[in-house]
Structures are given as structure tokens and as C-alpha cells.
Amino acid sequence: MPRKTLGTPEKHRVSSESARSPSFMRSLQNASSPSTSPSRNATRSPRPGSLAQAIAPPPQAALSPSPSPDAPPRGTRFMVMEGGTTTATTDPSSSSPSMRTSPSPIPAPRSTTPTPTTTEDLLKQKDDRIAHLELSYQRTLDALTNASSSLSSFSSLTSTTAHELRLLRLEADALRAERDELRSGWNAVQQSLREREDEIRDLRRQMRGLKEWVSNSTRADATGAAQQVSDEVLGAGMAKLGNELQNWVLVNFRRAKVKTEGLEGEPGEELGRVVPMFEEVMGMGGKIHLIQSVVSRLLVEMVFRAYFVGLTGEQERAVRDAEGMLGAIVSTPGSINQWRALTLSILKREADQKLQAETAAITDAFVNKTNNILDAMTEVDTQAIEARNQGLRHLVNGAIDMSRLLVVQKAIFKVTMPEILPHQRVLFDAVTMEDIGGEDEESLSDREICCVTFPGIIKQGDESGGQLQWTNVIAKARVLCSPDE
């Protein structure tokens, strides 16, 4: 079969990795030699266009000293037949002596990897390898392209985000500046408001001073008329008197045992007269409230209802008759009230000297009547009775001064203390009454009153004594409501 000479186009070129194998290249050189002599094969150069020249290895690969175990024996010729079949023949003259004398050939060692048997198989493997590499390269290139596109998008997004972040920072700085400006304005407004409040307080103090000055200027100067005071002064004086009474009762009767059963004679009758509902009050456990009610009722009867404390009965009737006669002549009530205020102011000026005896008699009568009732209700402590009487005298003297101060005013001031009677309902009035039980006033709208612990003051008329249709509550009466059923 004629030989087929292999050309050298790029698609049939053997890869450098297989061509550089020393054993493979030696076998190709031996196969391409025309002579069977070893010496001639070693010195003759390959013919142009031969198979050995087409796939000859590089020079350094041909000088490899250690042949591969898989290489064919020396003197083997390779022939490419028609159809791409390659056959190998062995030159007996080029074989080693050991091989000529050996009766049986030595088998070549097996390779763990399959070795291609034809050049087309090698080329096919290389083509497959190249196609695989091209596909891998294309995939890698696509991945890099996608990554580059993503990186470009990310870079654009990062740039946009950075721009937006700068805008947000600028906006935040503007908002902080606006907040600081608003805070500064708020502080300025607060400071101005505090200054205005201080100014308002100063103006109110000045107004009160002007009112007192006007009141002092309208009084009779040469006749010794009493000083006209404001409603706030009278209300504060009445509240102070009520607190003193409460403290006196707590100090002297807080630990005392109070009994109201079996009271006979004058103490029992007086207790039933001044506090008709005393049994109900004791049933509620209000012994302190009961004693306050007894003392307050005696103060109203003996001090605050007097025309002027210190006058005898005959003197009081004479002054009342004079006021009635003047009222029959003068048609304006304001003039009558001014006359009364002026007349009683003259009496008040001389009361400390001319009315001292009668005043002391009223004080002693009040102390004796109070002790008569309270001693019958409680156990008497002989060691503390003197201190208790001294505190009671101080209390009644304060009430006398308060009563005189009320009657010398041009307006009419009435000390009111609602009277609680059996089988009569006296309901709580939030305008004139103050509950001492600590309950909400809204829940006491229809509640009955159990007892009154201290009286209140109601003003009628204005500072000049006229306009008697005007009324004003100066001090509320302190009351104790019955429990809600």
C-alpha cells in the first residue's frame, strides 16, 4: 500500500505537548529513515516534506537522555496507510543484541491513561480541547462582561447615592440651622413671657396698693375712722382664725375620749342646741369635727352676731335705734352704711380703753360656756386645763378683733354658719361651702351636710356701702358631708 505523505496545515499540526515527548519523536525519526542501517539513520537528514520533518520535535526534546517507558523500541518504523491507518515495523538491524537473542519479545508496560492510536484521534482531542477552551473563554468573557456591566451600574448607582447623600446632608444641616434658630426664638419668647409675668405681678401689687390707698384716702381722717381693708385681707384673717381653732382642738382633744351618751342637765341641753346632729357626727367617728362645731357655733352667737363687741345691751340698743332713725330719714343705703362704719370706727378707736371690762366679761363667759360643754363630753385633765383655757382665750380675742374689723367696713359683711336641724335636709352648696372630707365637689352636689366646723363670710354691697344687690363670698364655710348611701 503506497504511503501517504502528511502535509503541515494548522488543523493537522500536532500540539507541542505531544510532539515534545522524547520516545515518540525518536520513533518518528526512525520510521522516516529510508535505510535500515543504524549509522545511516543517525547521519542522514530527513527528506523535505517527509513525515519526520513535518512533526519533528524541537532540538532539546530530541536530546532527552531518558526515554519514556511507553516509547516503541528502536528501529520501529511508522507508516501511514490509506484511510489514515498507521503501521509500525521493526528494523532487525537496529535492534539491540539482547533483543535479537531473546526467544520471546518483552511486553511494554501498560499505561493507566488511554493513548491515542491515530493522529486523527490526537487532532480530534486537541480540537475538542480547543473548542472547550474557546467555550470556557467565551463564558469567562461573558461573565467578565456582565461583571463589568454590573460594576458600571454599581458605580453609577454609587455616584447617584453619594450625590443624594450630599443633598441629604445639606438638607440636614439646613434643618439643624432652622432648629437652632427656632430654639433661640423659643428661648427669647420664654424670656419675654417671664418678664411679662413679672411685670403683671408687679402691676397687681401696685393695684392692691392703690386700692388700699384709695380706701385709706376715703376714710374720715379727723374723726379717727378705721382703715378700710380689702376683701383678700378679710378672707385671709378668717382662714387664719379657722386654722387656729383646728390646731387648738387637735392639741387638746386628739387623745381625749369623747362620750355623748347620758349627758344630762345644762351641758346636754347646750350640746343639743348648738349641734343638734351631734349623735350622727359621733356615729361617723368625727369627735374632732364635733368639738370644732361646738366652739364655732359659740363664736358666732357670742362674738360675730354682736353689733359691736364690748357694748352693753343697753348701749347696743341705743346705737341700733339711732341707725334705724337715720334710715327712716335718709333714702340711700350707702349713706347709712357710711354712717355706721364711721360711728363704729370711733368706738373701735376707744374700745381698748373704754370697753375693756365688757370685752373681758364676754371673753370669760365664752370660755366658761365652752368648758362647761366640753368637760361634760370628755375626761378633764386638771394639769392641762390652764394651758387649754389660755389657748381658748387667745382664740376668742382673735375672733373679737375680726368681728370689729368686719363691722367698721362700709360694705356689709355677714358671718354665716348654716344650722343643721333634725328632720331637715341642708344640701351642700359649692359656692358658699367647702367640704373638709376631701371628696370631689362634683360628687357632693346633692349630698346632705352633717355638721359645720367653721363659719364663712359673705359680702353685700361695694366699698362705698352702696349697691347692696351685689354679693360676694369672701370665705366659704367649712362643712362635713354625710356619707353617700
Side-chain angles (χ1 to χ4, degrees), residues 48-60:
S50 64
L51 179 62
Q53 185 179 2
I55 58 175
Q60 62 273 20

Side-chain angles (χ1 to χ4, degrees), residues 256-300:
K257 295 181 180 180
V258 179
K259 57 179 181 178
T260 58
E261 298 84 358
L263 290 180
E264 299 178 355
E266 184 179 358
E269 294 177 359
E270 283 294 319
L271 179 62
R273 185 184 65 83
V274 296
V275 186
M277 304 292 292
F278 67 91
E279 293 182 355
E280 183 178 354
V281 177
M282 287 299 298
M284 295 174 56
K287 67 175 184 179
I288 300 298
H289 301 151
L290 177 60
I291 296 174
Q292 291 185 35
S293 181
V294 170
V295 178
S296 296
R297 177 65 63 181
L298 294 178
L299 284 176
V300 171

Side-chain angles (χ1 to χ4, degrees), residues 1-6 51 77-88 117-121:
M1 183 180 296
R3 299 180 181 179
K4 185 178 179 180
T5 304
L6 298 177
L51 179 62
R77 297 180 182 179
F78 292 86
M79 298 180 65
V80 180
M81 308 302 290
E82 292 292 337
T85 304
T86 305
T87 59
T117 58
T118 63
T119 304
E120 287 185 356
D121 294 336

Side-chain angles (χ1 to χ4, degrees), residues 277-348:
M277 304 292 292
F278 67 91
E279 293 182 355
E280 183 178 354
V281 177
M282 287 299 298
M284 295 174 56
K287 67 175 184 179
I288 300 298
H289 301 151
L290 177 60
I291 296 174
Q292 291 185 35
S293 181
V294 170
V295 178
S296 296
R297 177 65 63 181
L298 294 178
L299 284 176
V300 171
E301 291 179 354
M302 301 180 67
V303 177
F304 290 108
R305 285 183 182 176
Y307 187 82
F308 188 86
V309 179
L311 295 178
T312 61
E314 184 179 356
Q315 293 172 343
E316 181 176 343
R317 284 191 299 269
V319 178
R320 286 182 180 272
D321 292 341
E323 182 179 355
M325 182 187 62
L326 186 62
I329 299 175
V330 179
S331 60
T332 57
S335 300
I336 302 299
N337 291 330
Q338 292 177 6
W339 176 89
R340 172 187 52 77
L342 178 60
T343 303
L344 297 182
S345 296
I346 297 174
L347 293 177
K348 185 176 183 296

